[in-house]
Amino acid sequence: MAVGTSQNTIKKAAVQAREYTYDYSDRAGELMYFYLLITKGVPGYAYANVGTKQSSLGHMMLALADCPRPNNIDEENEVMVIGCEDANLVGSDWDMNDVVFLVYGDPKIPQPVEIIDEEIKEVTSKRYMIEDLGSTDDFDFNDIVVDVTQEIVKKLTTENGELVSTKEISRTQKATLRHLGGTIPFRLKIGDKVFDEMEGQMDVNPDKEYEITGWEPDKNNISVAVKDLNNGDIHKLNFPGIGEAPMIIAVDTDVDWMEERVSITQEWFESIKK
């Protein structure tokens, strides 16, 4: 039996419906799961869509062990009432009596499994420090500094403390342009987001935020196209692969960029090594 806990309290409930009896004596000891499948819509109601499934996973059902015993149920039988709500709406009455099951067994019935839904956030952030075309005396990696952050909200469902499912609810990504320290025009691309061409600026901290999509932190799918001011050629700079000279490096967001025309050192790399 899988029935979620509920914060609702049943004060009074009246049920008038035809009684159906199902015999599961041949499956004694097995788990019992309760679901409601909405098979007919009600015009004007938010849950009118046929096929909507309600279950205890959404706290739509309430198990009552201390309940009145019907006269026709022998004392040897353990009894429990499962009260169900058919719509998870703001205006629902939450009387938990839209469908009611009386479960009884000799001597025991399956005990409820506590199901808990919990939302967690997973946040991943990186700071990309970019060198545009790099002259022989300029490897400060502060021509473009951009922070990229991804926030994923997941719903974890556990039964008796054991994780049984993980579902992603939402994923948002943003990029914040932190610093500009070069003079060359550039066009930044992060994930699916292609930025408008920007003019190079010296020692400016825009702190401008952009919504983006498609960024993959593990793949570092970021690139920048820069314009050679001497001949107008466009050069695309990608995040480096193994053995390639870097024009873009990734660090933690608490690592500060270098001062103008101060090249990064081996000690600097050692200080940020994971």
Side-chain angles (χ1 to χ4, degrees):
M1 182 186 304
V3 180
T5 58
S6 174
Q7 300 300 319
N8 298 284
T9 301
I10 295 181
K11 297 181 179 180
K12 182 178 181 181
V15 180
Q16 295 181 354
R18 180 179 175 182
E19 180 181 298
Y20 295 87
T21 302
Y22 304 91
D23 186 357
Y24 291 94
S25 57
D26 60 333
R27 301 174 64 181
E30 295 183 16
L31 285 173
M32 299 175 64
Y33 294 90
F34 290 84
Y35 296 92
L36 295 181
L37 179 63
I38 307 303
T39 59
K40 185 176 181 180
V42 179
Y45 284 82
Y47 60 96
N49 292 333
V50 175
T52 301
K53 180 183 285 188
Q54 310 288 14
S55 75
S56 57
L57 293 176
H59 305 291
M60 302 296 292
M61 301 182 183
L62 185 65
L64 299 176
D66 298 325
C67 58
R69 177 187 299 274
N71 295 330
N72 60 341
I73 303 298
D74 295 337
E75 290 291 335
E76 291 77 13
N77 288 271
E78 185 177 76
V79 298
M80 177 178 289
V81 165
I82 309 295
C84 309
E85 184 68 24
D86 63 2
N88 187 6
L89 302 174
V90 175
S92 294
D93 51 21
W94 294 109
D95 52 16
M96 294 291 180
N97 73 355
D98 297 322
V99 178
V100 177
F101 297 96
L102 173 67
V103 183
Y104 64 94
D106 180 10
K108 298 288 184 181
I109 60 172
Q111 297 304 303
V113 174
E114 184 180 18
I115 297 174
I116 298 176
D117 294 334
E118 178 184 5
E119 289 189 4
I120 64 168
K121 291 182 180 180
E122 296 181 353
V123 179
T124 304
S125 297
K126 288 188 178 183
R127 170 165 291 171
Y128 291 103
M129 305 174 69
I130 303 171
E131 186 65 31
D132 46 27
L133 290 182
S135 61
T136 56
D137 63 345
D138 182 8
F139 292 100
D140 48 26
F141 281 84
N142 73 357
D143 296 330
I144 307 166
V145 179
V146 59
D147 292 348
V148 187
T149 300
Q150 171 179 270
E151 181 179 287
I152 299 176
V153 179
K154 295 180 178 180
K155 183 175 77 170
L156 306 183
T157 300
T158 59
E159 293 185 5
N160 287 348
E162 297 292 330
L163 180 65
V164 295
S165 68
T166 302
K167 180 180 180 181
E168 182 175 314
I169 299 175
S170 65
R171 180 187 296 247
T172 56
Q173 297 180 337
K174 65 180 182 180
T176 305
L177 190 60
R178 294 296 189 193
H179 181 78
L180 297 175
T183 59
I184 302 177
F186 67 92
R187 186 186 300 273
L188 192 63
K189 184 176 188 296
I190 305 176
D192 302 324
K193 171 71 172 179
V194 179
F195 294 72
D196 294 334
E197 183 176 303
M198 303 181 191
E199 294 296 327
Q201 299 183 64
M202 290 294 295
D203 199 20
V204 174
N205 300 321
D207 282 332
K208 187 174 181 180
E209 186 175 290
Y210 303 84
E211 296 295 327
I212 66 170
T213 59
W215 177 56
E216 299 180 65
D218 294 336
K219 295 183 178 181
N220 293 301
N221 52 337
I222 175 175
S223 63
V224 61
V226 297
K227 183 182 294 184
D228 191 325
L229 294 178
N230 295 320
N231 54 29
D233 290 345
I234 303 298
H235 301 271
K236 184 178 180 181
L237 311 176
N238 295 307
F239 193 85
I242 296 176
E244 296 178 347
M247 299 296 284
I248 305 175
I249 55 179
V251 298
D252 291 335
T253 55
D254 59 354
V255 176
D256 203 359
W257 49 85
M258 304 299 291
E259 295 182 4
E260 191 61 36
R261 307 191 80 81
V262 176
S263 297
I264 57 175
T265 64
Q266 181 65 34
E267 290 74 19
W268 188 87
F269 270 112
E270 292 294 332
S271 69
I272 63 171
K273 186 178 296 183
K274 295 293 184 181

